[in-house]
Amino acid sequence: QVQLVESGGGLVQPGGSLRLSCAASGSITIIYAMGWYRQVPGKQRELVATITSGERINYGDSVKGRFTISRDNANQVSLQMNSLKPEDTAVYYCNADLVPNSWPDRRTNYWGQGTQVTVAS
């Protein structure tokens, strides 16, 4: 069973920083990309950042220049969030585009359970 486990969420003051990590575990053949999306109540989920196995990176417009995604190893990525704003408050979900080493062994998107990030004084 493939699992994505997020860590690092919490409460932080405006202007502060947090670092989120996501680890993919289980039987995995290959990971094509991993990344982060976020969602607040009443709004659709939006892109935060993604990184491919070839180190190709994409950021959402609202976080450009403030957030940095990086690959820690083959199965783990981190999101460094700086200069946090109240509008960054959301549930952050890790996403992985991968092929599991189990049936059905087809390319599939997996999601983590989400981690709450709250930016407030």
Side-chain angles (χ1 to χ4, degrees):
Q1 183 94 25
V2 175
Q3 298 283 336
L4 302 181
V5 179
E6 302 111 327
S7 62
L11 175 65
V12 65
Q13 290 185 321
S17 298
L18 283 175
R19 186 175 179 88
L20 305 182
S21 294
C22 177
S25 62
S27 297
I28 299 169
T29 298
I30 187 171
I31 298 178
Y32 290 103
M34 296 183 70
W36 294 91
Y37 296 76
R38 67 187 184 187
Q39 189 169 27
V40 299
K43 296 184 179 180
Q44 63 183 334
R45 192 169 298 184
E46 67 172 348
L47 167 71
V48 177
T50 58
I51 183 169
T52 72
S53 60
E55 305 300 322
R56 193 173 187 175
I57 294 173
N58 189 32
Y59 292 105
D61 289 341
S62 62
V63 307
K64 288 179 180 177
R66 299 187 298 120
F67 292 9
T68 303
I69 191 169
S70 60
R71 181 173 296 279
D72 302 322
N73 56 56
N75 289 7
Q76 183 168 305
V77 294
S78 294
L79 181 71
Q80 180 65 45
M81 304 186 294
N82 297 326
S83 302
L84 283 162
K85 305 174 181 179
E87 50 264 44
D88 294 318
T89 297
V91 177
Y92 284 69
Y93 295 91
C94 182
N95 173 266
D97 176 13
L98 59 82
V99 177
N101 188 22
S102 62
W103 181 261
D105 56 343
R106 59 188 175 215
R107 190 168 177 171
T108 307
N109 270 304
Y110 287 81
W111 293 93
Q113 78 285 356
T115 185
Q116 177 71 45
V117 172
T118 301
V119 184
S121 299

